[in-house]
Amino acid sequence: MKREGKSRERWNSFARRRAKCGIVLSLAIFLFGGGHTSAQDQGAPIGLADSETIVNFGSPVFLFNNAAEAIAGRRIENSAGLGKYEGFKNSAGSRYLETGATLQGIGVNVPAAGDGELLFVQNVSAFHGGMPFAAGNFLAIAHRDGFVSLYSSKGFIPSSSSKTEIKKGDHIGMAAKAPESGNASYLFRLYDGKSRLWANPALFIQGFNDSVPPKIKQIALLGEKETYIAENRKNAMQVIPQGNYLLAVSIVDPLYRNESISGLFRLKAVLNGQVIADRKLDSARITEGGLAFLDMQAPSSGSVDDEGRLLLGKQFLPSGRHTLEVFAYDYAGNEARFTWQFNAQ
Amino acid sequence: MNAFSIRKRSHIGWVIAIAAMLYILVAQRSLVQTQPISLISALPVSETNAAVQSAQPGNGFARKGERSFVMDENEGLLWMNDRDGRRVLPIYGYPYIENGRYFILRPDQQGVTEISGDGTFLWSLEFGTPITASSISASLSAWGLLDGSIKILDKEGRVLNELNPSASEAASKYGCVYGVAVSSNGETVATLYGINPQYFLSYAKSGDRYRLVSSRKLDKQVRSVQELVFSGAGDFIIGRTADGLALYDVAKKRSKIVHPSYFAGEAELQIRPVGKEGFAFLLAKGDERFSGLIQNGAIEALFPVDGAVSSLSVEGSGFLLTSEDWEYRYKVSAR
């Protein structure tokens, strides 16, 4: 019950965000007002079952930094000219945040998450050339109230049926089986066309089986010249110069046995008892500049640094002793906390 | 391998080549008169070209001596190679080479990066929804998105215009871009847009904005990307729709649907401009392949080709059909 209450609270928060985007809430309240169970019972446009789900929403992906590691750690036959490719590393396009969740199908079949109409199919072409299918084969279904669900994977084979009206649970394609479960594994994304945002799929998944809290790997203060990594030393308190800093945190939501990963959902930072940041990964707004996560500016690369740390905003640190507490919650409600005491001079 | 076996293989290759030519000339009779087109050669794909093409499955085309991209499936990385074929930059993305420009698409198909010919980063842009269609000219690029919008960018990646057909007269229930073409001067944009109903729309630039100048509501609709292509002189646009071939006359600002019997229904069409006003095409219908020529909206030639043909490219005044093993060269004669 406690978890269901939290889920309802999270949905309401998301719904408020939709309302901010100018959308009438009535449908959302009608669909999800009674919590996840009743949402599915009431015929929500989207409903997903939890089965070894991995929610990736807000996880950073690197296009060139990983590549740079590959250069450093592995073979590279022409290392002489690498200097000029440094420009890729810190470019806006070098990284982005994910918008989906990896779901398991039923056997090899991928079920539709709700009633709707076939909107777009990207399938193997008879021809070579043209724009590559970077996302692999994918299929998009338009649902009522502006939602569009996307299903993709490299091994995804959209159904060859010419049926365009789709019912919830219809098999819309086949995907390669995940080695452990024997079920199809595919990427699910959900776009809210009316509100112009990507919704975290976790909001539509019933009863997460996730008992492990996220892990706060690192807290960093990014100054103009130096970066300070949080350490709680036994003998002496860490000292940093006073000034303006960008708070950055590196967090993972780990996998435990055959459970799901409900994904990082909320980040809260408290400085000397005052909340300085409280941000949610419930959605990503679509703006002219791309996707805006965590209430930060678009593109999504602006919400993560080149070390994969999520950015929570700027803070002035005056001279004196400070206590910074960072709380991280996954969607299932598991909490992680890190308290850092330091001196600013 | 000894000299005798090499000679033997070479002879077998020529025998197969001659047999293929005879097959095309005799067995594959044209469906429509073929006077403007003649087969010049049907030859096995050279090892060099085969290597280059197979290194880039579905991802553009680069000949020896140009920068190339090689997807290493084991590493999950794309390697950008220099002109000598050496690996210089690993990228987690997908190459898109068009009109001499090099793009890298993000794995979620929601962002694009352009790099120069020597591999230098130029610009990068994140889109709100996945890219469904694109059109690249030397100085512009147009990106059609799943949400039904079209972004037109300059060579530096700046958004010059955003077209939203739903804001004009195209009242589709669902917006999505299934095809887009932008002229090289940016004066004309055409798109295949929407579901329930689907439209073939054309826009003309008026000051800093685009104005809808032609709208054709279609009876049937496609759900996958279709090519829309400008003629060499920029006077016509053609593209496949579920109703047939859509043709737009830029000067007259008029569109029409032609040849539904050949192009409607389940099919794939690859189109390339030939000369100033012609289009060579490669049509896939099930396992069958057809090629031909369109001039001024009329089919000048249509004939079946090797069912294994998988790409069409233009060479001077002619065109080239390529399968994994064979290259068929055609010459287009002036009438």
Side-chain angles (χ1 to χ4, degrees), chain A residues 256-277:
Chain A
Y256 178 67
R257 291 187 179 167
N258 291 327
E259 290 190 355
S260 294
I261 297 175
S262 63
L264 179 65
F265 192 74
R266 184 183 173 198
L267 279 164
K268 191 165 86 170
V270 179
L271 181 68
N272 305 323
Q274 297 283 317
V275 176
I276 56 168

Side-chain angles (χ1 to χ4, degrees), chain A residues 105-326:
Chain A
I106 302 161
V108 294
N109 294 309
V110 175
D115 295 355
E117 173 146 12
L118 182 62
L119 180 64
F120 186 76
V121 182
Q122 182 168 280
N123 205 349
V124 176
S125 172
F127 303 135
H128 288 171
M131 195 182 82
F133 293 169
N137 294 339
F138 86 80
L139 185 145
I141 300 172
H143 305 275
R144 61 193 163 98
D145 198 33
F147 284 104
V148 175
S149 58
L150 280 77
Y151 311 77
S152 63
S153 79
K154 287 296 166 201
F156 181 63
I157 304 166
S159 168
S160 58
S161 159
S162 56
K163 198 172 82 168
T164 54
E165 292 296 326
I166 291 165
K167 294 286 176 197
K168 184 178 175 181
D170 279 356
H171 294 165
I172 52 167
M174 293 189 291
K177 285 183 177 179
E180 296 82 16
S181 70
N183 288 326
S185 174
Y186 62 97
L187 180 68
F188 176 83
R189 293 186 278 169
L190 189 63
Y191 157 63
D192 181 349
K194 274 194 179 171
S195 311
R196 302 284 297 155
L197 51 83
W198 288 87
N200 186 335
L203 289 159
F204 299 83
I205 296 174
Q206 216 175 3
F208 262 112
N209 177 26
D210 180 1
S211 63
V212 182
K215 187 178 176 189
I216 300 174
K217 288 172 69 181
Q218 191 182 84
I219 293 172
L221 291 172
L222 313 182
E224 280 183 14
K225 292 177 183 170
E226 291 257 6
T227 294
Y228 297 90
I229 310 293
E231 295 171 36
N232 280 321
R233 295 170 183 166
K234 282 184 182 173
N235 303 328
M237 196 172 284
Q238 212 170 338
V239 178
I240 67 168
Q242 68 170 358
N244 276 307
Y245 290 94
L246 193 55
L247 176 59
V249 293
S250 174
I251 299 172
V252 291
D253 194 17
L255 181 65
Y256 178 67
R257 291 187 179 167
N258 291 327
E259 290 190 355
S260 294
I261 297 175
S262 63
L264 179 65
F265 192 74
R266 184 183 173 198
L267 279 164
K268 191 165 86 170
V270 179
L271 181 68
N272 305 323
Q274 297 283 317
V275 176
I276 56 168
D278 190 355
R279 302 181 194 277
K280 290 191 179 76
L281 280 167
D282 57 355
S283 60
R285 278 183 301 114
I286 295 172
T287 73
E288 282 190 6
L291 302 181
F293 284 80
L294 295 164
D295 294 328
M296 301 288 278
Q297 292 286 312
S300 64
S301 57
S303 301
V304 61
D305 72 358
D306 58 7
E307 300 291 327
R309 295 176 291 225
L310 293 172
L311 305 174
L312 293 180
K314 279 196 170 171
Q315 182 66 38
F316 177 72
L317 292 172
S319 178
R321 183 173 168 166
H322 299 285
T323 302
L324 177 66
E325 292 172 282
V326 173

Side-chain angles (χ1 to χ4, degrees), chain B residues 302-330:
Chain B
L302 173 67
F303 50 90
V305 295
D306 179 353
V309 166
S310 58
S311 78
L312 164 70
S313 54
V314 170
E315 287 189 334
S317 61
F319 61 93
L320 177 74
L321 299 177
T322 314
S323 71
E324 205 168 301
D325 302 317
W326 293 89
E327 287 179 340
Y328 305 97
R329 278 192 169 74
Y330 293 87

Side-chain angles (χ1 to χ4, degrees), chain A residues 74-97:
Chain A
R74 285 186 281 176
R75 61 201 148 104
I76 176 78
E77 289 156 29
N78 176 23
S79 56
L82 283 180
K84 69 181 173 188
Y85 302 120
E86 277 297 305
F88 287 93
K89 192 176 174 184
N90 294 314
S91 67
S94 70
R95 54 190 180 264
Y96 65 93
L97 297 182

Side-chain angles (χ1 to χ4, degrees), chain B residues 32-95:
Chain B
V32 176
Q33 60 168 332
T34 56
Q35 280 171 322
I37 294 182
S38 49
L39 178 68
I40 301 170
S41 67
L43 295 170
V45 171
S46 67
E47 282 187 19
T48 307
N49 278 348
V52 171
Q53 285 180 58
S54 62
Q56 308 164 66
N59 292 329
F61 195 82
R63 293 193 177 281
K64 193 181 179 192
E66 293 180 4
R67 179 167 301 286
S68 64
F69 294 89
V70 179
M71 195 74 202
D72 189 322
E73 298 290 348
N74 294 327
E75 293 179 314
L77 283 172
L78 169 77
W79 286 87
M80 185 171 75
N81 291 353
D82 66 11
R83 285 175 170 77
D84 297 322
R86 292 178 299 187
R87 293 177 160 196
V88 292
L89 182 70
I91 303 164
Y92 184 46
Y94 293 81

